[in-house]
């Protein structure tokens, strides 16, 4: 845990008692604050009470009579769109600042004394619509293989304040969603990565412009020394343009990355074309790596992730050969194109983390003959954008709330209504043949049937392993409160 100081003897409200909320409450108490906790879900409040946290309804006037100095909001809770939570309205009406765990982390780091450290801690933050988790995990893996002390957290793994106390030379690698960035009052990464932008969570941000603005805060408020920017979308190119010339003595902090475009020679760049990664500086190639045999980094989307991780690790001072060696041993990410079983030439692939169409597109592009399990809580636009890939689908097995809408979009493409995931897996297996892939890539959130995408992926993995005759294995331990058990307790399950 990283204690949060500056509120000794003062009262702080924590709204939302999922993973990040409980970690923030502990960190504030460790720093000497009195913490009042609230969650709209009774189960989340009961869990918090069992851990001896003080519960008070922060949406009501009575709780505010304690004289709150700060309101800390968990990422899943809207602070503005589509409507502010009543507790947030209370804070703003009373002139009480609203912050989140990410803002508190950077404030804690700024207040810490690292004069005795030979190497001060550094922070790498990764954001974007798709690929954040893979890129964050890949950076962490490369650092570990290079024997650089690091911790990985944020929107993946531990909440940022649940990380271990900072030690000499530590690097914090944080995946940050737009939800986490938009509310943070302090942002100060040493290296920040922007991968891409696609339509997602637009109701939360008041449209695509608000969504991009939330992401851009990491770079404009945070002012990183190095900004690794994906230039494959217009927003990335616009962000890079804003940042150029903002470095020391007018030097641009931008390192451009792309898996599809030829980039100008006047600034540092890392690109991937035809399976080869190339780093360029001063108009000439300075390093390269062959990505073609890296099984866990297949596909153009993963090549973009590899470029981003390479650029971030180079900014931290790692040598090209060290980075390449780390990439070659990267085990991949659970729930992201994770091959979990095989039987009679049929592969079972868990891509439960694909909670929107753009993410599902990456998986559909990676296999030729697919028995596709899709559905859940639909996102805006549904699967319309995936029409060009329907010829890869032998049959779609539809589950959850989105089934009817997805069926209309699929039209004459073979599809079946399965209701739940277990039925979909069994029916896909019964119809499959050698060389086919049974792919869970839902293009939807899981909240209609599962608390989070991890639970959905674990259920798929367990069913696939039973079909393949493999022994049961322990599912990865779920983070407490990580799903939407309540309105305010949910740390978002997807990758906004």
């Amino acid at each position: 845990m990283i204690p949060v100081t500056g509120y000794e003897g003062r009262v702080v409200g924590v709204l939302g008692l999922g993973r990040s909320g409980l970690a923030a409450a502990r960190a504030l108490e460790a720093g000497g604050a009195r913490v009042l906790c609230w969650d709209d879900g009774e189960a989340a409040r009961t869990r918090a009470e069992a851990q001896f946290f003080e519960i008070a309804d922060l949406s009501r006037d009575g709780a505010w009579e304690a004289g709150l100095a700060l309101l800390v909001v968990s990422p899943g809770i809207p602070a503005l769109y589509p409507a502010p939570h009543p507790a947030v309205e209370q804070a703003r009406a009373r002139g009480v600042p609203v912050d989140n765990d990410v803002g508190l982390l950077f404030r804690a780091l700024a207040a810490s004394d690292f004069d005795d450290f030979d190497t001060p801690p550094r922070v790498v933050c990764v954001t974007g619509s798709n690929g954040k988790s893979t890129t964050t995990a890949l950076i962490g893996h490369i650092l570990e293989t290079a024997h650089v002390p690091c911790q990985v957290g944020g929107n993946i793994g531990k909440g940022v304040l649940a990380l271990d106390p900072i030690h000499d030379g530590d690097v914090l690698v944080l995946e940050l969603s737009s939800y986490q960035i938009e509310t943070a009052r302090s942002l100060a990464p040493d290296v920040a990565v922007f991968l891409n932008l696609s339509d997602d969570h637009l109701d939360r941000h008041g449209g695509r412009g608000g969504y991009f603005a939330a992401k851009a805060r990491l770079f404009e408020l945070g002012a990183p020394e190095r900004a690794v920017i994906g230039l494959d979308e217009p927003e990335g190119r616009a962000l890079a343009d804003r940042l150029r010339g903002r470095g020391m003595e007018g030097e641009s902090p931008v390192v451009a990355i792309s898996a599809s475009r030829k980039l100008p020679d006047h600034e540092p760049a890392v690109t991937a074309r035809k399976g080869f990664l190339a780093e360029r500086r001063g108009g000439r190639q300075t390093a390269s790596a062959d990505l073609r045999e890296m099984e866990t980094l297949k596909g153009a989307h993963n090549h973009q992730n590899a470029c981003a991780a390479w650029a971030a690790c180079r900014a931290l001072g790692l040598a090209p050969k060290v980075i390449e060696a780390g990439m070659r041993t990267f085990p991949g990410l659970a729930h992201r194109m994770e091959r979990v079983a095989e039987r009679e030439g049929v592969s079972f692939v868990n891509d439960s983390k694909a909670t929107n169409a753009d993410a599902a597109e990456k998986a559909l592009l990676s296999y030729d003959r697919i028995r596709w399990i899709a559905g859940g809580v639909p996102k805006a636009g549904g699967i319309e954008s995936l029409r060009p890939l329907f010829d890869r689908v032998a049959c779609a097995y539809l589950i959850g709330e989105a089934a009817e809408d997805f069926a209309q979009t699929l039209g004459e493409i073979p599809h079946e209504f399965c209701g739940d995931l277990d039925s979909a897996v069994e029916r896909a297996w019964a119809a499959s043949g050698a060389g086919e892939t049974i792919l869970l890539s839902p293009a939807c959130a899981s909240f209609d049937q599962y608390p989070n995408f991890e639970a959905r992926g674990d259920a798929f993995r367990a069913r696939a392993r039973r079909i393949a005759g493999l022994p049961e294995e322990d599912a990865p331990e779920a983070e407490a409160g990580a799903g939407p058990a309540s309105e305010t307790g949910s740390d978002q399950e997807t990758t906004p």
Side-chain angles (χ1 to χ4, degrees), residues 127-454:
T127 196
S129 295
N130 296 300
K132 297 189 303 298
S133 295
T134 297
T135 301
T136 303
L138 179 56
I139 294 170
H141 178 76
I142 293 168
L143 291 170
E144 286 177 0
T145 59
H147 306 293
V148 176
C150 72
Q151 299 187 68
V152 174
N155 201 43
I156 181 176
K158 292 182 177 180
V160 297
L161 292 173
L163 296 172
D164 294 335
I166 306 299
H167 296 100
D168 198 330
D170 273 0
V171 177
L172 305 186
V173 187
L174 309 178
E175 177 191 332
L176 297 185
S177 71
S178 56
Y179 294 0
Q180 292 167 304
I181 298 168
E182 69 172 351
T183 310
R185 298 178 73 86
S186 179
L187 294 164
D190 298 278
V191 180
V193 177
F194 176 89
L195 293 166
N196 48 52
L197 196 85
S198 60
D199 287 347
D200 205 357
H201 309 283
L202 302 189
D203 59 336
R204 171 65 181 258
H205 298 293
R208 187 179 177 103
Y211 180 36
F212 175 52
K215 299 282 191 187
R217 289 186 82 240
L218 179 63
F219 301 83
E220 296 174 333
L221 176 63
E225 293 179 12
R226 280 289 175 265
V228 177
I229 309 291
L231 300 191
D232 291 336
E233 282 86 28
E235 290 84 1
R237 296 192 286 276
L239 180 59
D241 182 62
R242 293 182 195 175
L243 298 176
R244 290 184 178 112
R246 289 193 178 187
M248 293 182 295
E249 298 180 356
E251 178 187 355
S252 173
V254 172
V255 180
I257 62 168
S258 174
S260 66
R261 301 169 65 87
K262 188 178 185 303
L263 301 180
D265 287 336
H266 67 272
E267 66 187 358
V270 183
T271 58
R273 299 184 68 186
K274 298 182 179 179
F276 288 91
L277 179 148
E279 178 184 358
R280 299 184 65 84
R281 293 175 182 270
R284 64 185 184 88
Q285 183 171 308
T286 55
S288 64
D290 187 347
L291 303 174
R292 293 174 299 173
E293 296 182 358
M294 298 182 186
E295 290 293 328
T296 57
L297 293 173
K298 285 188 175 297
H301 64 294
N302 272 325
H303 290 177
Q304 185 193 47
N305 299 337
C307 289
W310 182 287
C313 289
R314 290 288 281 143
L316 294 171
L318 271 63
K321 291 297 183 184
V322 172
I323 299 171
E324 182 179 2
M327 285 182 169
R328 291 191 179 280
T329 60
F330 179 54
L333 198 66
H335 310 296
R336 190 68 178 111
M337 286 170 42
E338 177 193 14
R339 191 167 176 270
V340 295
E342 182 179 348
R343 180 177 173 185
E344 297 174 13
V346 177
S347 297
F348 294 79
V349 176
N350 169 22
D351 195 43
S352 183
K353 202 172 193 303
T355 56
N356 58 43
D358 276 3
E361 177 188 41
K362 311 302 187 297
L364 292 174
L365 281 167
S366 299
Y367 308 98
D368 294 325
R369 186 167 172 81
I370 301 167
R371 295 196 176 271
W372 180 26
I373 300 172
V377 180
K379 300 292 181 68
I383 56 172
E384 183 66 34
S385 64
L386 301 178
R387 279 186 185 275
L389 302 178
F390 286 171
D391 60 352
R392 295 170 175 261
V393 178
C395 184
Y397 301 85
L398 304 178
I399 63 175
E401 293 178 6
E404 291 284 351
D405 288 342
F406 281 16
Q408 291 186 21
T409 305
L410 287 162
E412 296 183 0
I413 300 299
H415 58 271
E416 300 180 15
F417 293 99
C418 299
D420 60 46
L421 180 59
D422 282 351
S423 297
V425 176
E426 293 292 346
R427 290 164 73 172
W429 164 244
S432 64
E436 294 186 338
T437 300
I438 297 175
L439 172 68
L440 170 66
S441 191
C444 285
S446 66
F447 297 153
D448 54 345
Q449 296 183 351
Y450 295 94
N452 48 53
F453 73 79
E454 293 97 338

Side-chain angles (χ1 to χ4, degrees), residues 30-91:
R34 175 191 171 195
V35 180
L36 301 183
C37 297
W38 182 252
D39 193 293
D40 290 346
E42 183 177 355
R45 297 197 300 270
T46 300
R47 284 196 304 269
E49 282 186 303
Q51 298 176 49
F52 305 105
F53 287 112
E54 186 175 355
I55 304 298
D57 188 346
L58 298 172
S59 65
R60 299 183 179 275
D61 291 341
W64 292 86
E65 293 174 1
L68 272 68
L70 178 73
L71 178 66
V72 178
V73 180
S74 292
I77 302 167
L80 184 57
Y81 298 114
H85 188 278
V88 176
E89 290 278 56
Q90 283 271 15

